Structures are given as structure tokens and as C-alpha cells.
Amino acid sequence: MSGAWLAFAALTGMVLYSAYKVVSTPLITHAALYLATALVGVAGFFLMLESEFLAVVQVLVYVGAVMTVIIFAIMLSDVPALVGDREASFVSRLLSKRYGSLPALVSAGVLALVLIAYGSVRWAAAPLKGAPEAVHPLLHDTTALGSTGVIGRALFSTYLVPFEVASLLLLAAMVGAIVLTKRDARDVPRLAPAAERETEAEERGGAKFWP
Amino acid sequence: MIPVQAFLIVSAVLFAMGLFGALRRSNAIMVLMGIELMLNAVNLNLVAFARYLQGALVGGQVFTVFVITVAAAEAAIGLAIVLLLARKRRTIEVPDIHDLKG
């Protein structure tokens, strides 16, 4: 067993175990942290596939941004349902139809379909040589650039329009998220003026914040 | 060298688990996490094919960048909606939210 297979096995175990925990744990914070582990494992797979740029982006965007947003959303809201799931344990819930057997059946069916399709394909033993003209004349010397340079060139030549559309999408998502979560003025509990708070603190026996 | 099928099988299993998670949860954030798992399985597939089909190297990786972008936008908007629901309705259980049901 070579080192590559060892790394592959370790990453597979890490990703699939954390994915299983994401699916099964009743605690939403645990699910979020296991999801982060699974995403780091996928970044490891990206490294094995020689796309180091994507591995870095995966860790930065998913683990750095998306997971932080999810955990912040859980922690900053006071709704009990956000913190602890009310659902029953994994095994007992597997017996219910709508939240157990039917989803299991559907996903097992999808998995079986995909595996049967893979089984019916005659796979090439070695990596296939595609036509490099299919991308862009600039991209012929792909080996010299490394994956980061290749992706950079492709993003700003062949895929320029989708790239700009993606940036527009991110802008729209940002504006949408801000507008959606903006509190109305009447929602915000009014804070007492600073002087009142200080006298209250003195009455309770606490020290004044400002000397 | 590890054959491409190994990566494809791992990604298929990951996709099925994400689908299972998205279907069996009633908590909206858990459903979102299942969807993230599925998107990651798709990314793994794209990168594996990009690696093993040399001419398509750029295409697969660039599409993965786009999928990550869309996933980030989806997470931001989805969580904003969930927070809004939590604030106005005090619940984020999907079965409790059925205003649009005919």
C-alpha cells in the first residue's frame, strides 16, 4: 500500500465519518463543527488531485467564512430551536417514515444508480489527454504555471463573463442578506441613557464604569 | 496513482449522505448543511475529472470556483432567511412553516 493510498484512506475515513456525524447528530453546533471537518477533508482531496489553489479556497471560504457565518447565526440568536434540535435520537427517528425510512430509501437509490452507472463505464487506466485547444491558446503551457496560474488565466480570458456574473451574484447576495436581517427601529429594545444606567449600577452596589 | 473511480465513489457516497441529511432534517440550518455536503461532493467530482482528463484541467477547476461562490451566496441568503424566521416566528422547523401551502 503506497503513501497515496494511505492518505486517500485516511481522508476518506475523515470525510465520511464527519459527514455521517453531520447527518446524525441532534446538536446543531456539533453538526456545524463536523461539517467543518468534512470540508477540510475535501480540501485534502483537492490537494491530492493537485489543485492546491482550490484547496486553499475551500479552507478560506468554507471553513473560514461559511462555517463562521453558520456558527455566528446559531450563537447570536436566542431561539431555542437554533441551539438545540428538538428531534428524537437518530436511530429512533430512522423508523419514522417521513424523517427516516423515506429519505434513506431515496438517497440509497441515488447512490445505487450512480454506482451502477460507474460500473457500466469502461475506465481508462491512465489519465486521458484531452485537446488543449478546447480551452484557450494562452493555456498551452499549463505545466509551467501550476494550477493557480492556470485558473487565473482562465478566469480572466475564457471565463471572464461568468466570473463577472459571479461577482455580481455575490454583491446581490450581500445586499440581500443585509436588507433581510436589518432590524426595524421599533424592533430594537430601547437602551436606557448612559447616566441612568450608571446610577442603576451604583444602586445595585456595583462600581461605576467611569471614575 | 489512485484511479479516478476511487474519488468518484467517495464523492457519490458523500452526495448520498448529504441528500439523506437534507431530507431527514426538519431544522432549516441542518437542511442547509446537508446541501453544503452535496455541493462539496459535486466539487470533488469536478476536480477529479479535471485531474484525470488533462485537457479539461481548467474547466473543472474554474467551475469548482463558481460552485464555491454560489454556495457562499446561498449560505449567506439562507442564513439571513433563517434568522428572519427565527426572529418573527420563533421557529426554524421546516414543517412549521407552511404559509405557501395551497
Side-chain angles (χ1 to χ4, degrees), chain A residues 3-35:
Chain A
W5 274 109
L6 263 176
F8 181 82
L11 283 174
T12 304
M14 175 178 164
V15 168
L16 292 187
Y17 177 70
S18 351
Y20 165 71
K21 290 299 276 188
V22 170
V23 169
S24 65
T25 178
L27 267 180
I28 197 163
T29 37
H30 288 189
L33 294 174
Y34 275 113
L35 180 62

Side-chain angles (χ1 to χ4, degrees), chain A residues 5 24 26 37 45 48 54 60 64 73 79-80 112 120 139 150 152 159 176 185:
Chain A
W5 274 109
S24 65
T37 320
F45 276 130
M48 285 191 74
L54 283 179
L60 276 181
V79 178
S120 65
L139 301 174
V150 171
Y159 299 98

Side-chain angles (χ1 to χ4, degrees), chain A residues 88-177:
Chain A
S89 79
F90 182 57
V91 179
S92 71
R93 208 170 174 180
L94 264 182
L95 300 173
S96 84
K97 184 165 166 239
R98 185 155 169 203
Y99 296 112
S101 49
L102 208 58
L105 208 67
V106 170
S107 46
V110 168
L111 180 63
L113 200 69
V114 172
L115 290 184
I116 288 169
Y118 286 163
S120 65
V121 175
R122 274 196 335 150
W123 295 95
L128 296 174
K129 233 13 198 172
E133 305 83 44
V135 280
H136 195 269
L138 265 178
L139 301 174
H140 278 309
D141 53 344
T142 50
T143 46
L145 281 172
S147 83
T148 312
V150 171
I151 291 180
R153 279 195 183 182
L155 272 181
F156 287 104
S157 58
T158 318
Y159 299 98
L160 183 63
V161 177
F163 179 71
E164 296 298 337
V165 173
S167 57
L168 206 64
L169 173 80
L170 279 180
L171 179 68
M174 189 179 76
V175 174

Side-chain angles (χ1 to χ4, degrees), chain B residues 47-89:
Chain B
V47 176
F49 274 124
R51 173 73 187 82
Y52 283 86
L53 229 149
Q54 303 273 335
L57 172 73
V58 194
Q61 298 202 8
V62 169
F63 270 97
T64 307
V65 172
F66 288 143
V67 171
I68 291 178
T69 312
V70 172
E74 171 243 314
I77 291 292
L79 283 170
I81 293 172
V82 168
L83 272 185
L84 205 63
L85 276 174
R87 204 182 289 153
K88 304 255 172 188
R89 296 288 190 83

Side-chain angles (χ1 to χ4, degrees), chain B residues 12-32:
Chain B
V13 174
L14 190 61
F15 185 90
M17 289 175 93
L19 184 63
F20 179 61
L23 288 177
R24 77 169 278 269
R25 294 291 194 184
S26 56
N27 189 313
I29 294 186
M30 299 286 212
V31 175
L32 273 180

